């Protein structure tokens, strides 16, 4: 595979995870300097591209793991095993783990106790299964790190020993103890004992649970037909999955239609034409343009969406949703935009350069102003691509005529990563740069056919006047105004700026907290086209974790209604963030959809009749913990 000038992996302009050799993909910092979210997205994107090549062989080499039959524990009292973890020095460097271990031996119904350097290690997993068998354990407690990251692993160890995974309880003596009390080792040790005692008290009342199974519809709905939506649909088609693109505009392409070239030199018109040709030729992609989403019903694996088009209402079913609603260029009246024909946006300038417009060809003095409407109190975020866009157009102007006078008035140049080369090249070609502060913005006035730009130059420590035949504004990006409505339909959140909010910025950058819904492109945040392509493939990779299954397992720790106590008041239905509980109008009592339920406990806490309880956190279990404390 080829390398670029700096020694990073050379990649394809149309897909940043493709190398110069077919079938070899790159992700992370080998492709260039990356932050963690971009690295994780690229990893998922590379996985999607790799699996698309071998999609037709999917599932042919899988050997199903045979788990032992689950033990019948009826008539057997609680026999609890406790494993206390040192977690290297994360816990052991603060908490006296041997003391906590010895204390656990004194607790009721505890028949086995051990401490381990790393309880999550492979050798300890094998040991745990052996101990469960040897000591006939009916409950397991691990005192270690966070259940958010390690509970599934320990539950899997229990399953391999024939123990129901929900007969496992975890005490977090790292995040909630050693990390927050690192300067108080004695108190941290006492708190660790408290947490272990509480976990053991709860474990006595744990019951084996059986998560439900649900058939998965193999189709995907993609909301938005821009570059992100098109890329996602084509990637899904390569994987062998059907998709429905719902686009409100009369044509596909979104913002990508307005581009002519990228900073690196990709012909975007040609690229988009190729993508649209593939969409049209694919039998697996169904496109609805000029369409509006009326209603989205259902849950992961089983969605039903109603849309309205010029032909009337239509319905289709699908298993997952990819949100690719895009974003818009800010409409501004700053710097005489809309008042003077000489004031344009960078996107207009790109069009004029590409089409050899007389105004661009004849202009001898061009000034650009960065961060117009970005990084302000109203929009505190950076629009990410504006600096690269300014470099792109400045270099094209210099290519058109090296004698053109081009000045960029900026707050901070953010041509991150390998794009810094183009900033360097612009300086070498005598593109001038003047920095400004937000409280000292440039001033614009009209002088005949020309503009005059006045700016304070901090290097000269004085004001400068620049004549301008054209003034190009790098305007910010604003979220799609329909994001909030779509978010409400799907029960997914938007952030304070109006973009969609991922489940975890580093660990799950394309997922939502709501299972079966994924995001990509500028629906998430302002980004460059190559980032959009990567994220679209990443969303497909994550969607395939659902689509490749015939059935999905629901969460075992779900709420349930004690019908004799329920008054049908509907308070739980109003409060449920996942729409998982509703009052049955016939019976007049609440019912839980266990597939939608995430076990958050909001319904349990809000029920005034104490009619809703939560498996895995029943009143009996929680009260036992409190009593133990």
């Amino acid at each position: 595979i080829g390398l670029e000038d700096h020694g990073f992996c050379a990649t394809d302009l149309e897909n940043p995870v493709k190398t110069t050799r077919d079938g070899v993909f790159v992700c992370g910092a080998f492709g260039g300097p990356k932050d963690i979210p971009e690295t994780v997205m690229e990893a998922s994107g590379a996985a999607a591209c790799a699996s698309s090549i071998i999609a037709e062989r999917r599932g042919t080499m899988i050997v199903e793991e045979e788990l032992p039959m689950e033990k019948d524990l009826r008539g057997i009292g609680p026999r609890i095993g406790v494993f206390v973890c040192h977690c290297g020095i994360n816990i052991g460097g603060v908490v006296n783990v041997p003391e906590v271990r010895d204390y656990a031996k004194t607790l009721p119904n505890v028949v086995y106790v051990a401490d381990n350097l790393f309880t999550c290690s492979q050798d300890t997993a094998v040991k745990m299964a052996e101990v469960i068998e040897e000591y006939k354990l009916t409950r397991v407690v691990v005192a270690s790190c966070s259940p958010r990251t390690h509970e599934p692993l320990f539950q899997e160890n229990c399953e391999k020993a024939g123990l129901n995974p929900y007969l496992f309880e975890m005490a977090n003596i790292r995040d909630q103890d050693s990390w927050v009390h690192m300067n108080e080792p004695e108190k941290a040790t006492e708190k660790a004992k408290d947490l272990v005692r509480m976990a053991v008290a709860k474990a006595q009342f744990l019951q084996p649970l059986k998560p439900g199974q649900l058939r998965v519809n193999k189709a995907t709905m993609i909301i938005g037909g821009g570059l992100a939506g098109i890329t996602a649909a084509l990637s899904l088609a390569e994987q062998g999955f059907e998709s429905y693109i719902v686009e409100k505009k009369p044509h596909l392409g979104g913002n990508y239609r307005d581009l002519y070239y990228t900073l690196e030199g990709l012909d975007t018109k040609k690229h988009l034409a190729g993508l649209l040709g593939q969409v049209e030729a694919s039998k697996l992609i169904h496109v609805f343009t000029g369409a509006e989403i009326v209603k989205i019903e259902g849950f992961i694996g089983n969605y039903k969406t109603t849309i309205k088009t010029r032909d009337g209402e239509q319905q289709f079913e699908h298993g997952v949703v990819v949100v690719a609603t895009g974003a818009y260029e800010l409409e501004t009246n700053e710097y005489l935009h809309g008042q003077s024909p000489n004031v344009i946006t960078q996107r207009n300038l790109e069009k004029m350069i590409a089409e050899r417009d007389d105004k661009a060809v004849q202009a001898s003095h061009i000034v650009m102003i960065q961060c117009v409407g970005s990084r302000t109190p109203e929009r505190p975020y950076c629009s990410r691509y504006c600096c690269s866009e300014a470099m792109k157009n400045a270099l094209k102007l210099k290519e058109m005529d090296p004698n053109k006078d081009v000045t960029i008035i900026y707050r901070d140049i953010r041509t991150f990563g390998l794009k810094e080369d183009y900033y360097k090249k612009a300086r070498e070609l005598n593109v001038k740069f003047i920095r400004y502060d937000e409280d000292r913005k440039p001033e614009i006035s009209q002088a005949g056919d020309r503009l005059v730009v006045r700016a304070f130059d901090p290097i000269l420590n004085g004001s400068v006047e620049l004549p301008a035949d054209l003034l190009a504004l790098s305007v910010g990006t604003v979220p799609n105004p329909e994001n909030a409505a779509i978010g409400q339909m799907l029960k997914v959140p938007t952030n304070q700026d109006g973009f969609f909010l991922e489940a975890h910025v580093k660990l799950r950058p394309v997922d939502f907290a709501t299972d079966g819904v994924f995001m990509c492109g500028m629906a998430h945040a302002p980004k460059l086209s190559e980032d959009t392509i990567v994220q679209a493939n990443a969303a497909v990779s994550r969607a395939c974790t659902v689509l490749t299954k015939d059935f999905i397992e629901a969460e075992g720790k779900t709420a349930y209604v004690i019908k004799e106590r329920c008054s049908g008041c509907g308070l739980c239905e109003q409060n449920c963030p996942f729409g998982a509980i509703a009052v049955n109008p016939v019976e007049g009592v609440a019912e839980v959809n266990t597939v939608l339920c995430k076990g958050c406990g909001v319904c349990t806490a809000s029920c005034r009749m104490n009619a809703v309880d939560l498996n895995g956190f029943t009143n009996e279990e929680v009260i036992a913990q409190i009593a133990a404390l």
Side-chain angles (χ1 to χ4, degrees), residues 411-431:
R411 282 180 62 191
D412 297 288
I413 293 294
R414 294 182 170 182
T415 48
F416 52 89
L418 301 177
K419 291 176 172 38
E420 197 76 0
D421 287 344
Y422 298 96
Y423 171 50
K424 183 183 175 187
K425 186 178 178 182
R427 299 204 58 138
E428 287 170 352
L429 293 173
N430 198 30
V431 174

PDB file of all heavy atoms in Angstrom, residues 411-431:
ATOM      1  N   ARG A 411     -10.055  34.427  12.429  1.00  0.00           N
ATOM      2  CA  ARG A 411      -9.919  34.431  13.893  1.00  0.00           C
ATOM      3  C   ARG A 411      -8.884  33.409  14.335  1.00  0.00           C
ATOM      4  O   ARG A 411      -8.030  33.687  15.152  1.00  0.00           O
ATOM      5  CB  ARG A 411     -11.271  34.137  14.551  1.00  0.00           C
ATOM      6  CG  ARG A 411     -12.191  35.357  14.551  1.00  0.00           C
ATOM      7  CD  ARG A 411     -13.517  35.058  15.206  1.00  0.00           C
ATOM      8  NE  ARG A 411     -13.358  34.690  16.607  1.00  0.00           N
ATOM      9  CZ  ARG A 411     -14.333  34.180  17.353  1.00  0.00           C
ATOM     10  NH1 ARG A 411     -15.534  33.976  16.825  1.00  0.00           N
ATOM     11  NH2 ARG A 411     -14.122  33.871  18.615  1.00  0.00           N
ATOM     12  N   ASP A 412      -8.992  32.190  13.819  1.00  0.00           N
ATOM     13  CA  ASP A 412      -7.992  31.141  14.012  1.00  0.00           C
ATOM     14  C   ASP A 412      -8.040  30.260  12.779  1.00  0.00           C
ATOM     15  O   ASP A 412      -9.133  29.877  12.337  1.00  0.00           O
ATOM     16  CB  ASP A 412      -8.291  30.276  15.247  1.00  0.00           C
ATOM     17  CG  ASP A 412      -8.246  31.064  16.536  1.00  0.00           C
ATOM     18  OD1 ASP A 412      -7.131  31.428  16.951  1.00  0.00           O
ATOM     19  OD2 ASP A 412      -9.317  31.303  17.128  1.00  0.00           O
ATOM     20  N   ILE A 413      -6.891  29.925  12.227  1.00  0.00           N
ATOM     21  CA  ILE A 413      -6.880  29.022  11.071  1.00  0.00           C
ATOM     22  C   ILE A 413      -6.941  27.590  11.579  1.00  0.00           C
ATOM     23  O   ILE A 413      -6.111  27.171  12.380  1.00  0.00           O
ATOM     24  CB  ILE A 413      -5.614  29.236  10.195  1.00  0.00           C
ATOM     25  CG1 ILE A 413      -5.662  30.617   9.543  1.00  0.00           C
ATOM     26  CG2 ILE A 413      -5.499  28.148   9.136  1.00  0.00           C
ATOM     27  CD1 ILE A 413      -6.783  30.813   8.525  1.00  0.00           C
ATOM     28  N   ARG A 414      -7.938  26.848  11.098  1.00  0.00           N
ATOM     29  CA  ARG A 414      -8.145  25.484  11.583  1.00  0.00           C
ATOM     30  C   ARG A 414      -8.138  24.483  10.421  1.00  0.00           C
ATOM     31  O   ARG A 414      -9.082  23.725  10.224  1.00  0.00           O
ATOM     32  CB  ARG A 414      -9.449  25.404  12.373  1.00  0.00           C
ATOM     33  CG  ARG A 414      -9.368  26.237  13.657  1.00  0.00           C
ATOM     34  CD  ARG A 414     -10.617  26.151  14.500  1.00  0.00           C
ATOM     35  NE  ARG A 414     -10.398  26.774  15.807  1.00  0.00           N
ATOM     36  CZ  ARG A 414     -11.312  26.805  16.778  1.00  0.00           C
ATOM     37  NH1 ARG A 414     -12.499  26.269  16.599  1.00  0.00           N
ATOM     38  NH2 ARG A 414     -11.033  27.368  17.941  1.00  0.00           N
ATOM     39  N   THR A 415      -7.067  24.517   9.642  1.00  0.00           N
ATOM     40  CA  THR A 415      -6.878  23.510   8.592  1.00  0.00           C
ATOM     41  C   THR A 415      -6.162  22.331   9.246  1.00  0.00           C
ATOM     42  O   THR A 415      -4.964  22.138   9.089  1.00  0.00           O
ATOM     43  CB  THR A 415      -6.033  24.072   7.440  1.00  0.00           C
ATOM     44  OG1 THR A 415      -4.877  24.708   8.000  1.00  0.00           O
ATOM     45  CG2 THR A 415      -6.809  25.064   6.611  1.00  0.00           C
ATOM     46  N   PHE A 416      -6.938  21.542   9.985  1.00  0.00           N
ATOM     47  CA  PHE A 416      -6.366  20.518  10.851  1.00  0.00           C
ATOM     48  C   PHE A 416      -5.777  19.345  10.050  1.00  0.00           C
ATOM     49  O   PHE A 416      -6.116  19.114   8.896  1.00  0.00           O
ATOM     50  CB  PHE A 416      -7.421  20.004  11.833  1.00  0.00           C
ATOM     51  CG  PHE A 416      -8.705  19.571  11.164  1.00  0.00           C
ATOM     52  CD1 PHE A 416      -8.859  18.280  10.721  1.00  0.00           C
ATOM     53  CD2 PHE A 416      -9.740  20.478  10.952  1.00  0.00           C
ATOM     54  CE1 PHE A 416     -10.023  17.878  10.088  1.00  0.00           C
ATOM     55  CE2 PHE A 416     -10.910  20.086  10.325  1.00  0.00           C
ATOM     56  CZ  PHE A 416     -11.048  18.778   9.879  1.00  0.00           C
ATOM     57  N   GLY A 417      -4.888  18.612  10.723  1.00  0.00           N
ATOM     58  CA  GLY A 417      -4.315  17.408  10.126  1.00  0.00           C
ATOM     59  C   GLY A 417      -3.480  17.711   8.897  1.00  0.00           C
ATOM     60  O   GLY A 417      -2.732  18.694   8.841  1.00  0.00           O
ATOM     61  N   LEU A 418      -3.619  16.875   7.879  1.00  0.00           N
ATOM     62  CA  LEU A 418      -2.806  16.999   6.671  1.00  0.00           C
ATOM     63  C   LEU A 418      -3.222  18.192   5.811  1.00  0.00           C
ATOM     64  O   LEU A 418      -2.508  18.560   4.875  1.00  0.00           O
ATOM     65  CB  LEU A 418      -2.899  15.703   5.853  1.00  0.00           C
ATOM     66  CG  LEU A 418      -2.441  14.433   6.595  1.00  0.00           C
ATOM     67  CD1 LEU A 418      -2.637  13.206   5.726  1.00  0.00           C
ATOM     68  CD2 LEU A 418      -0.993  14.542   7.043  1.00  0.00           C
ATOM     69  N   LYS A 419      -4.351  18.818   6.135  1.00  0.00           N
ATOM     70  CA  LYS A 419      -4.803  19.995   5.384  1.00  0.00           C
ATOM     71  C   LYS A 419      -3.908  21.212   5.657  1.00  0.00           C
ATOM     72  O   LYS A 419      -3.976  22.210   4.950  1.00  0.00           O
ATOM     73  CB  LYS A 419      -6.258  20.317   5.728  1.00  0.00           C
ATOM     74  CG  LYS A 419      -7.219  19.275   5.197  1.00  0.00           C
ATOM     75  CD  LYS A 419      -8.624  19.563   5.630  1.00  0.00           C
ATOM     76  CE  LYS A 419      -9.632  18.655   4.960  1.00  0.00           C
ATOM     77  NZ  LYS A 419      -9.243  17.283   4.756  1.00  0.00           N
ATOM     78  N   GLU A 420      -3.064  21.108   6.680  1.00  0.00           N
ATOM     79  CA  GLU A 420      -2.127  22.181   6.990  1.00  0.00           C
ATOM     80  C   GLU A 420      -1.196  22.456   5.799  1.00  0.00           C
ATOM     81  O   GLU A 420      -0.715  23.577   5.611  1.00  0.00           O
ATOM     82  CB  GLU A 420      -1.304  21.796   8.227  1.00  0.00           C
ATOM     83  CG  GLU A 420      -0.592  22.951   8.883  1.00  0.00           C
ATOM     84  CD  GLU A 420      -1.508  23.855   9.705  1.00  0.00           C
ATOM     85  OE1 GLU A 420      -2.726  23.593   9.777  1.00  0.00           O
ATOM     86  OE2 GLU A 420      -1.001  24.834  10.273  1.00  0.00           O
ATOM     87  N   ASP A 421      -0.951  21.424   4.973  1.00  0.00           N
ATOM     88  CA  ASP A 421      -0.102  21.595   3.782  1.00  0.00           C
ATOM     89  C   ASP A 421      -0.654  22.665   2.854  1.00  0.00           C
ATOM     90  O   ASP A 421       0.103  23.412   2.216  1.00  0.00           O
ATOM     91  CB  ASP A 421       0.004  20.277   3.007  1.00  0.00           C
ATOM     92  CG  ASP A 421       0.889  19.265   3.716  1.00  0.00           C
ATOM     93  OD1 ASP A 421       1.647  19.665   4.621  1.00  0.00           O
ATOM     94  OD2 ASP A 421       0.813  18.070   3.383  1.00  0.00           O
ATOM     95  N   TYR A 422      -1.996  22.720   2.757  1.00  0.00           N
ATOM     96  CA  TYR A 422      -2.627  23.672   1.837  1.00  0.00           C
ATOM     97  C   TYR A 422      -2.561  25.098   2.385  1.00  0.00           C
ATOM     98  O   TYR A 422      -2.470  26.053   1.625  1.00  0.00           O
ATOM     99  CB  TYR A 422      -4.075  23.243   1.559  1.00  0.00           C
ATOM    100  CG  TYR A 422      -4.133  21.890   0.893  1.00  0.00           C
ATOM    101  CD1 TYR A 422      -4.330  20.726   1.641  1.00  0.00           C
ATOM    102  CD2 TYR A 422      -3.956  21.759  -0.480  1.00  0.00           C
ATOM    103  CE1 TYR A 422      -4.359  19.487   1.035  1.00  0.00           C
ATOM    104  CE2 TYR A 422      -3.988  20.516  -1.095  1.00  0.00           C
ATOM    105  CZ  TYR A 422      -4.182  19.383  -0.329  1.00  0.00           C
ATOM    106  OH  TYR A 422      -4.201  18.145  -0.931  1.00  0.00           O
ATOM    107  N   TYR A 423      -2.604  25.226   3.704  1.00  0.00           N
ATOM    108  CA  TYR A 423      -2.400  26.536   4.341  1.00  0.00           C
ATOM    109  C   TYR A 423      -0.984  27.019   4.050  1.00  0.00           C
ATOM    110  O   TYR A 423      -0.765  28.183   3.674  1.00  0.00           O
ATOM    111  CB  TYR A 423      -2.645  26.396   5.850  1.00  0.00           C
ATOM    112  CG  TYR A 423      -2.267  27.599   6.689  1.00  0.00           C
ATOM    113  CD1 TYR A 423      -2.694  28.880   6.346  1.00  0.00           C
ATOM    114  CD2 TYR A 423      -1.491  27.447   7.831  1.00  0.00           C
ATOM    115  CE1 TYR A 423      -2.346  29.977   7.122  1.00  0.00           C
ATOM    116  CE2 TYR A 423      -1.145  28.537   8.615  1.00  0.00           C
ATOM    117  CZ  TYR A 423      -1.578  29.802   8.249  1.00  0.00           C
ATOM    118  OH  TYR A 423      -1.236  30.890   9.028  1.00  0.00           O
ATOM    119  N   LYS A 424      -0.022  26.108   4.174  1.00  0.00           N
ATOM    120  CA  LYS A 424       1.375  26.450   3.892  1.00  0.00           C
ATOM    121  C   LYS A 424       1.541  26.874   2.428  1.00  0.00           C
ATOM    122  O   LYS A 424       2.209  27.865   2.106  1.00  0.00           O
ATOM    123  CB  LYS A 424       2.264  25.245   4.196  1.00  0.00           C
ATOM    124  CG  LYS A 424       3.750  25.497   4.019  1.00  0.00           C
ATOM    125  CD  LYS A 424       4.546  24.220   4.270  1.00  0.00           C
ATOM    126  CE  LYS A 424       6.026  24.457   3.977  1.00  0.00           C
ATOM    127  NZ  LYS A 424       6.812  23.202   4.038  1.00  0.00           N
ATOM    128  N   LYS A 425       0.883  26.118   1.527  1.00  0.00           N
ATOM    129  CA  LYS A 425       0.977  26.416   0.095  1.00  0.00           C
ATOM    130  C   LYS A 425       0.369  27.787  -0.213  1.00  0.00           C
ATOM    131  O   LYS A 425       0.916  28.560  -1.019  1.00  0.00           O
ATOM    132  CB  LYS A 425       0.260  25.329  -0.712  1.00  0.00           C
ATOM    133  CG  LYS A 425       0.429  25.463  -2.209  1.00  0.00           C
ATOM    134  CD  LYS A 425      -0.263  24.329  -2.956  1.00  0.00           C
ATOM    135  CE  LYS A 425      -0.128  24.493  -4.466  1.00  0.00           C
ATOM    136  NZ  LYS A 425      -0.850  23.419  -5.198  1.00  0.00           N
ATOM    137  N   ALA A 426      -0.761  28.095   0.454  1.00  0.00           N
ATOM    138  CA  ALA A 426      -1.408  29.408   0.248  1.00  0.00           C
ATOM    139  C   ALA A 426      -0.470  30.533   0.654  1.00  0.00           C
ATOM    140  O   ALA A 426      -0.360  31.560  -0.036  1.00  0.00           O
ATOM    141  CB  ALA A 426      -2.714  29.469   1.030  1.00  0.00           C
ATOM    142  N   ARG A 427       0.238  30.360   1.746  1.00  0.00           N
ATOM    143  CA  ARG A 427       1.179  31.395   2.200  1.00  0.00           C
ATOM    144  C   ARG A 427       2.340  31.541   1.219  1.00  0.00           C
ATOM    145  O   ARG A 427       2.798  32.650   0.947  1.00  0.00           O
ATOM    146  CB  ARG A 427       1.695  31.054   3.598  1.00  0.00           C
ATOM    147  CG  ARG A 427       0.561  30.983   4.619  1.00  0.00           C
ATOM    148  CD  ARG A 427       1.013  31.234   6.031  1.00  0.00           C
ATOM    149  NE  ARG A 427       1.650  32.529   6.156  1.00  0.00           N
ATOM    150  CZ  ARG A 427       1.459  33.374   7.149  1.00  0.00           C
ATOM    151  NH1 ARG A 427       0.581  33.071   8.088  1.00  0.00           N
ATOM    152  NH2 ARG A 427       2.105  34.504   7.232  1.00  0.00           N
ATOM    153  N   GLU A 428       2.782  30.404   0.689  1.00  0.00           N
ATOM    154  CA  GLU A 428       3.884  30.446  -0.283  1.00  0.00           C
ATOM    155  C   GLU A 428       3.476  31.179  -1.555  1.00  0.00           C
ATOM    156  O   GLU A 428       4.305  31.802  -2.223  1.00  0.00           O
ATOM    157  CB  GLU A 428       4.331  29.020  -0.619  1.00  0.00           C
ATOM    158  CG  GLU A 428       5.101  28.347   0.518  1.00  0.00           C
ATOM    159  CD  GLU A 428       5.318  26.861   0.277  1.00  0.00           C
ATOM    160  OE1 GLU A 428       4.736  26.329  -0.702  1.00  0.00           O
ATOM    161  OE2 GLU A 428       6.050  26.232   1.061  1.00  0.00           O
ATOM    162  N   LEU A 429       2.172  31.113  -1.883  1.00  0.00           N
ATOM    163  CA  LEU A 429       1.660  31.790  -3.078  1.00  0.00           C
ATOM    164  C   LEU A 429       1.243  33.233  -2.788  1.00  0.00           C
ATOM    165  O   LEU A 429       0.573  33.869  -3.600  1.00  0.00           O
ATOM    166  CB  LEU A 429       0.472  31.005  -3.654  1.00  0.00           C
ATOM    167  CG  LEU A 429       0.816  29.626  -4.238  1.00  0.00           C
ATOM    168  CD1 LEU A 429      -0.452  28.874  -4.616  1.00  0.00           C
ATOM    169  CD2 LEU A 429       1.726  29.766  -5.450  1.00  0.00           C
ATOM    170  N   ASN A 430       1.617  33.722  -1.600  1.00  0.00           N
ATOM    171  CA  ASN A 430       1.395  35.123  -1.213  1.00  0.00           C
ATOM    172  C   ASN A 430      -0.084  35.443  -0.942  1.00  0.00           C
ATOM    173  O   ASN A 430      -0.536  36.558  -1.161  1.00  0.00           O
ATOM    174  CB  ASN A 430       1.973  36.094  -2.254  1.00  0.00           C
ATOM    175  CG  ASN A 430       2.154  37.492  -1.674  1.00  0.00           C
ATOM    176  OD1 ASN A 430       2.395  37.639  -0.469  1.00  0.00           O
ATOM    177  ND2 ASN A 430       2.019  38.507  -2.502  1.00  0.00           N
ATOM    178  N   VAL A 431      -0.827  34.435  -0.467  1.00  0.00           N
ATOM    179  CA  VAL A 431      -2.144  34.745   0.084  1.00  0.00           C
ATOM    180  C   VAL A 431      -1.879  35.364   1.455  1.00  0.00           C
ATOM    181  O   VAL A 431      -1.143  34.813   2.266  1.00  0.00           O
ATOM    182  CB  VAL A 431      -3.008  33.474   0.223  1.00  0.00           C
ATOM    183  CG1 VAL A 431      -4.327  33.793   0.938  1.00  0.00           C
ATOM    184  CG2 VAL A 431      -3.285  32.863  -1.147  1.00  0.00           C
TER     185      VAL A 431
END
